[in-house]
Amino acid sequence: PILINADTLEETIPNAVPEFPYYGGLCDLYDYPNAQFPWHWHGEVEFFYMRKGALEYHIPGKTEVFHEGEGGFINANVPHLTMAHGSGGCIQEEHLFLPAFVAGSMGSAIETRYVLPIIHSQQMDMVRFGPKDVGYSAIISLMREALSLYEAPATGYELEIRNCISRLWLLLYNITRNRHSDGNTDTHD
């Protein structure tokens, strides 16, 4: 079910609890009215991969179409709307987690050096990953591994997922360094 606050448009992510602030799953936009998910935002960052079809991501001032085999990143607190693009299905693999899942404690070296530069960058609202991009294969592999662990939890799966997400975050940090190194910040009002 869609859990969006009608007054603020904030979405509550299912199954992402403070004890383990991560959610992984598949989303078929054809399960929603008009094959779209309405405008919303959430405090979690979102990595995604298009398993089938194509998807339009709308953020303020920008629209991108992601085709089957492509993936992306949506930063925390960025308003967005998604809708199926074309026909033939629209299945998206999603990974949502609070930045603290990677950062650990507030004020930590990890938060300061690797997390805050990304979540505060004006140029990091939305990032595309395609088959020709550096790091693409590793990014997709880590997302798929995390989802596999999440769907079939075994002893220690939380630590394994956190390892996948930490490696995924470091890849994102390294391949987008020119987009977040300028120190510009944006609160995504």
Side-chain angles (χ1 to χ4, degrees), residues 18 21 97-116 119 162 165-166 169:
F97 54 91
L98 291 170
F101 190 59
V102 173
S105 60
M106 288 184 60
S108 71
I110 293 170
E111 180 187 52
T112 302
R113 292 180 192 153
Y114 304 103
V115 175
L116 294 179
I119 64 170
R162 185 164 179 221
I165 297 302
S166 292
W169 193 268

Side-chain angles (χ1 to χ4, degrees), residues 83-98:
M83 63 176 48
H85 182 81
S87 60
C90 185
I91 299 178
Q92 171 191 30
E93 179 179 314
E94 301 176 310
H95 303 268
L96 293 103
F97 54 91
L98 291 170

Side-chain angles (χ1 to χ4, degrees), residues 36-112:
Q36 73 176 29
F37 199 86
W39 281 101
H40 66 285
W41 64 274
H42 37 75
E44 292 83 0
V45 296
E46 179 176 341
F47 282 88
F48 64 92
Y49 171 72
M50 291 306 302
R51 284 201 179 178
K52 181 179 181 183
L55 174 72
E56 290 180 26
Y57 252 97
H58 298 261
I59 64 172
K62 185 177 183 180
T63 297
E64 294 237 10
V65 177
F66 293 84
H67 297 277
E68 191 168 315
E70 294 179 323
F73 168 81
I74 303 293
N75 214 335
N77 305 316
V78 174
H80 54 285
L81 170 143
T82 57
M83 63 176 48
H85 182 81
S87 60
C90 185
I91 299 178
Q92 171 191 30
E93 179 179 314
E94 301 176 310
H95 303 268
L96 293 103
F97 54 91
L98 291 170
F101 190 59
V102 173
S105 60
M106 288 184 60
S108 71
I110 293 170
E111 180 187 52
T112 302

